[in-house]
Amino acid sequence: MTLPAPSHDSLVRVPLTATRAFSTFGITVVGFMTANLAPVMIIALTDLGYSATGAGTLMTACLLLSAMTCLATARWTTGSGRYKVALIGLALTASGFGAAAVIADPTIAAIGIIIAGLGSGGAVAAGGAALAALRDPDRASGISGFTNRAIVAVVLFIIPLIGIGMGSAFGILAALALAALFTTGWMPDRPKGETGGALNIERSRARTSRSTRLAGFGVLACFAL
């Protein structure tokens, strides 16, 4: 006898609390912050000795790696693996951008930025999975988007005040990633009713149409552009 897969309405999701909001929204903000600060980071890299083209290429590679990592880790974040993905992703983001901020060397900065790009993709995937586990994911996504815009606005206001440089452009994001790392345990677990087993994965694959897959890759291509 084949058991029906749990429907969207049958999943028991958790309410949005202060700690869950702080963790989920914070991790999501850190994951997307690189894209928001890319222009400032390019200016900082030119002061380090990069040409405008070289700095733009480096940040483009960072964002592309972030998108690829997000796609690659998405399946792991649907279950309890989201905590490990978030921890590793935030640790890579903090260490990579931290090295770029502290060590004034073009090669070290490039390596650190690439590592941070890999990490930020994991943070985006984990944060998105955590949003889906909340009782009202649509409302939570709206609040998360507002939180993201508000924090980015504050950061973009602060950086020019203290001076655009490697320490401000990359150091602030490294500090945010480090702070978010200690909140990963507050993220909501997957909704109750999801088995997380191989059978459930196969059912999920069967329900995914070809058009949905093409739409997903289309969205990823737009993000890459």
Side-chain angles (χ1 to χ4, degrees), residues 6 78-80 190-191 193-201:
T78 58
S80 57
R190 68 185 178 201
E194 291 187 20
T195 62
L199 182 60
N200 192 49
I201 293 175

Side-chain angles (χ1 to χ4, degrees), residues 30 40 43 74 92 101 148 185 193 201 214 217:
V30 169
V40 177
I43 294 174
L92 291 176
N148 183 291
I201 293 175
L214 290 175
F217 282 112

Side-chain angles (χ1 to χ4, degrees), residues 45 48 94-105 108-110 112-113 166-167 170-171:
L45 285 169
L48 187 63
S95 59
F97 283 145
V102 174
I103 304 174
D105 181 82
I108 297 298
I113 291 169
M166 296 298 291
F170 296 96

Side-chain angles (χ1 to χ4, degrees), residues 125-139:
L131 283 173
L134 295 171
R135 181 168 295 169
D136 190 346
D138 295 329
R139 176 174 175 270

Side-chain angles (χ1 to χ4, degrees), residues 49-129:
Y50 280 88
S51 64
T53 301
T57 301
L58 178 57
M59 292 310 305
T60 299
C62 174
L63 294 174
L64 285 174
L65 286 173
S66 178
M68 292 170 62
T69 304
C70 180
L71 177 64
T73 58
R75 182 180 299 176
W76 294 340
T77 59
T78 58
S80 57
R82 77 183 54 166
Y83 299 104
K84 290 184 179 179
V85 172
L87 278 171
I88 296 173
L90 292 169
L92 291 176
T93 303
S95 59
F97 283 145
V102 174
I103 304 174
D105 181 82
T107 302
I108 297 298
I111 295 173
I113 291 169
I114 293 300
I115 291 174
L118 292 171
S120 63
V124 171

